[in-house]
């Protein structure tokens, strides 16, 4: 079993590589759980429903003209193409899959604590299918 330490994730947003601005990225692919428990059952039973995904990204903030704040601000409520993979410097393959989807930026936080890094943690919600490529 290979062990991977995330030190070089790739994140593209709208076709632009923002990897150098990312502190962390978490991609969650899930299915709705629909309760199909019947009368007489003693344990809940579920069946998988519609699938969806979300991506949480923590960006190191920058207020310069074409930097993170200026890029993210107009994306709130808007669909954008996203690509994420675990290792930027390695070719896409079975050990380094490429995840691609269109997501909608849910909101844009401002502010933080005294003495803390100015980090924007944002969530993208699925606006379509998530694909996983290994070639």
């Amino acid at each position: 079993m290979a062990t991977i330490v995330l030190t070089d994730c790739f994140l593209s947003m709208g076709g632009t590589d923002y990897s150098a601005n990312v502190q962390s990225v978490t991609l969650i692919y899930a299915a709705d759980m629909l309760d199909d428990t019947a009368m007489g059952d003693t344990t809940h039973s579920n069946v998988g429903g519609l699938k969806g995904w979300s991506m949480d990204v923590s960006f190191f903030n920058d207020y310069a003209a074409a930097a993170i704040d200026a890029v993210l601000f107009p994306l709130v409520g808007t669909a954008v193409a996203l690509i994420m993979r675990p290792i930027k410097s390695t070719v896409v393959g079975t050990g380094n899959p490429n995840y691609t989807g269109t997501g909608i930026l849910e909101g844009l936080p401002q502010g933080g604590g005294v003495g803390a890094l100015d980090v924007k943690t944002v969530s993208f919600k699925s606006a379509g299918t998530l694909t996983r490529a290994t070639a």
Side-chain angles (χ1 to χ4, degrees):
M1 176 180 91
T3 302
I4 298 172
V5 176
L6 297 178
T7 59
D8 189 25
C9 287
F10 174 76
L11 179 70
S12 169
M13 198 170 47
T16 301
D17 180 357
Y18 288 97
S19 304
N21 303 94
V22 174
Q23 181 183 46
S24 69
V25 58
T26 302
L27 176 64
I28 299 168
Y29 185 54
D32 292 339
M33 291 292 103
L34 306 174
D35 190 334
D36 68 348
T37 308
M39 291 295 175
D41 289 347
T42 58
T43 303
H44 281 282
S45 174
N46 291 281
V47 63
L50 293 174
K51 294 178 181 164
W53 60 274
S54 64
M55 184 183 294
D56 295 332
V57 184
S58 292
F59 291 99
F60 292 112
N61 196 22
D62 188 341
Y63 294 103
I68 291 299
D69 187 70
V71 169
L72 292 175
F73 189 83
L75 292 181
V76 174
T78 303
V80 63
L82 299 165
I83 302 171
M84 180 266 187
R85 70 176 169 269
I87 308 167
K88 178 180 177 177
S89 59
T90 301
V91 67
V92 174
T94 56
N96 192 35
N98 209 50
Y99 298 93
T100 305
T102 300
I104 297 176
L105 182 58
E106 187 172 30
L108 186 61
Q110 299 291 343
V114 65
L117 284 174
D118 190 356
V119 176
K120 288 190 181 303
T121 300
V122 299
S123 292
F124 294 92
K125 302 297 183 194
S126 58
T129 304
L130 182 70
T131 61
R132 181 182 186 270
T134 57

